[in-house]
Amino acid sequence: GVSGDPDGGETMWSAAWIFFVAALAVVEPFASPFAWPSRRAKAAKASPALRSTAAELSEASPPQTMSQCIAQATSAIEAALGDGTRLMEVEFPPLPADQLEAADTSAYDVAKANTALAVSLSRNLASSSSGGRRVAILLPDTAELDRAIEDYGTDEPAAGISFHALRKSFVVADSASEMLLAMVGRGKSTIKAVPEADVYVCLTFSAQELPDLETLCELEDFAKPLVMFNLKLDTQRGDLGLPAFPSKDLQWRFLSRVKPVYYLRTRQYSLSIPQPPFVVNYQGAIFRQYPGAFQSLLDTGSKYRPVATDAQRPALGTFKQTLTNALQLEGDTKTKQFARTGFKAVTWWEEDKDNNEQFNDWRL
């Protein structure tokens, strides 16, 4: 059968991506942005038929450097804005896999890397060539805001860019009840928009804090652009409906409106076959730069090759099966048929068996 993360979990970027993200001025190219060196010797190959099909497609290529990643994300946002999109998702791994998996890498380290990347992206959005927008980088609360200001020494890290907390601190509350709500992190009255901002870039929001973004969009009548930056929405969707988390209805009414304009998630799987080597390890990625399609990419050992494209985001089971079908396995047809038979997983938000979904932007 085919195995992998049960909820479609991810494997992050290559250890070859070794430069620190805050030093965006120094960019080192590398052969593949998705390499897993420990598994490279067993990487699978795409079948010839699928290679010829993929060669005819003219989609964007995955980024080879961090600066290219930020440039592609900027281009995707600009294209989406031009098409009238207001709620957007940008998702890609912020650190190398070895650094993310290291025991001494903290949540603060990841947040700091994401902040550096968001500032770089915001510079592009605020540049004169983009119309000189005013970008508000939103943090969930004053604790996160204070940490960002401490790191940068200012609440304005660049021209046209400013840090803000979405929830007001209890020390600036307008009433005793608002102060109490601010202290416990509850109540819509403590959520304040940034009137002078032209676009929001939102960082480090947890699943419990996603309803705050919905409230902000309601305050702005869903008219002001908002970018959910590296919030791992696919992972956070899986927490909805659990105790102490928002209900699944948040996906149906709000998160379903969020369009993935720049999306890069890597995954790795293992495949069992009835003959040596019995287990084949393989990996792939889903990549999308709006307005392009979603590409399913298979690691061929030296680079990633597109093996399929979809107008809609492929479900976990579909993506896994696409990669499995693209494997070039030695042996007879019976062996290949056995190898390609496995459990096909689909998440509740992908399936939507009761037709609760109010919007389909998250799929497009």
Side-chain angles (χ1 to χ4, degrees):
V2 183
S3 63
D5 295 336
D7 62 348
E10 63 194 57
T11 300
M12 303 305 289
W13 288 72
S14 162
W17 199 339
I18 58 174
F19 56 86
F20 181 58
V21 294
L24 290 171
V26 180
V27 178
E28 297 295 337
F30 48 88
S32 169
F34 318 115
W36 292 277
S38 62
R39 302 175 63 136
R40 184 61 82 181
K42 294 183 179 180
K45 296 182 179 181
S47 67
L50 285 169
R51 274 201 292 266
S52 62
T53 300
E56 299 172 358
L57 303 173
S58 56
E59 296 294 338
S61 298
Q64 297 297 307
T65 65
M66 180 63 80
S67 62
Q68 185 182 1
C69 183
I70 294 298
Q72 287 182 335
T74 303
S75 176
I77 292 172
E78 295 289 357
L81 288 173
D83 289 341
T85 302
R86 291 297 174 264
L87 288 180
M88 291 165 277
E89 175 187 11
V90 168
E91 183 67 46
F92 60 90
L95 288 173
D98 57 346
Q99 190 170 344
L100 281 168
E101 296 168 0
D104 58 349
T105 298
S106 65
Y108 169 69
D109 295 326
V110 177
K112 186 174 182 179
N114 273 323
T115 302
L117 292 165
V119 169
S120 180
L121 177 75
S122 298
R123 283 196 182 99
N124 292 347
L125 297 177
S127 68
S128 57
S129 61
S130 296
R133 301 185 187 93
R134 293 164 295 182
V135 182
I137 297 180
L138 280 185
L139 289 305
D141 50 42
T142 54
E144 297 285 349
L145 173 64
D146 291 343
R147 187 176 292 116
I149 293 176
E150 181 180 355
D151 289 339
Y152 282 83
T154 177
D155 62 353
E156 297 183 356
I161 305 171
S162 53
F163 291 126
H164 299 268
L166 181 54
R167 280 192 175 272
K168 291 175 58 177
S169 169
F170 70 92
V171 298
V172 295
D174 296 328
S175 65
S177 61
E178 190 174 287
M179 178 182 296
L180 178 61
L181 290 171
M183 292 178 68
V184 298
R186 297 291 185 270
K188 293 184 178 182
S189 63
T190 63
I191 298 173
K192 303 298 180 183
V194 183
E196 64 272 19
D198 298 312
V199 60
Y200 295 110
V201 175
C202 305
L203 294 175
T204 68
F205 282 78
S206 67
Q208 291 93 335
E209 294 160 334
L210 291 177
D212 292 354
L213 294 179
E214 181 183 25
T215 299
L216 173 64
C217 291
E218 291 170 347
L219 292 173
E220 296 284 8
D221 294 324
F222 288 88
K224 187 173 290 186
L226 183 146
V227 178
M228 298 188 186
F229 189 86
N230 281 354
L231 297 190
K232 291 189 174 182
L233 291 184
D234 280 351
T235 301
Q236 307 224 49
R237 286 182 173 103
D239 292 331
L240 299 181
L242 298 177
F245 286 88
S247 69
K248 293 181 178 181
D249 190 55
L250 184 68
Q251 163 65 19
W252 307 137
R253 71 175 188 267
F254 177 58
L255 295 181
S256 62
R257 305 178 70 157
V258 182
K259 184 183 292 292
V261 298
Y262 192 74
Y263 187 83
L264 175 59
R265 287 196 63 183
T266 57
R267 297 179 174 93
Q268 60 185 159
Y269 306 107
S270 61
L271 182 74
S272 59
I273 58 177
Q275 63 183 39
F278 299 111
V279 176
V280 176
N281 296 319
Y282 63 108
Q283 51 259 336
I286 300 176
F287 175 64
R288 193 275 179 96
Q289 179 185 339
Y290 185 86
F294 290 88
Q295 301 179 61
S296 295
L297 309 174
L298 176 68
D299 181 4
T300 62
S302 59
K303 62 180 179 179
Y304 268 64
R305 187 183 301 279
V307 295
T309 61
D310 296 277
Q312 294 191 5
R313 183 203 308 234
L316 165 64
T318 301
F319 170 69
K320 183 188 296 184
Q321 194 63 43
T322 297
L323 292 191
T324 306
N325 291 341
L327 297 179
Q328 198 173 61
L329 300 173
E330 296 183 359
D332 56 24
T333 303
K334 183 178 179 180
T335 298
K336 297 180 181 181
Q337 184 177 2
F338 174 89
R340 292 171 185 176
T341 301
F343 176 70
K344 183 177 181 179
V346 61
T347 61
W348 59 262
W349 62 89
E350 292 171 335
E351 185 178 21
D352 186 21
K353 63 180 180 181
D354 295 324
N355 296 317
N356 292 317
E357 190 172 280
Q358 298 179 27
F359 305 91
N360 68 346
D361 299 84
W362 79 277
R363 301 178 186 271
L364 304 176

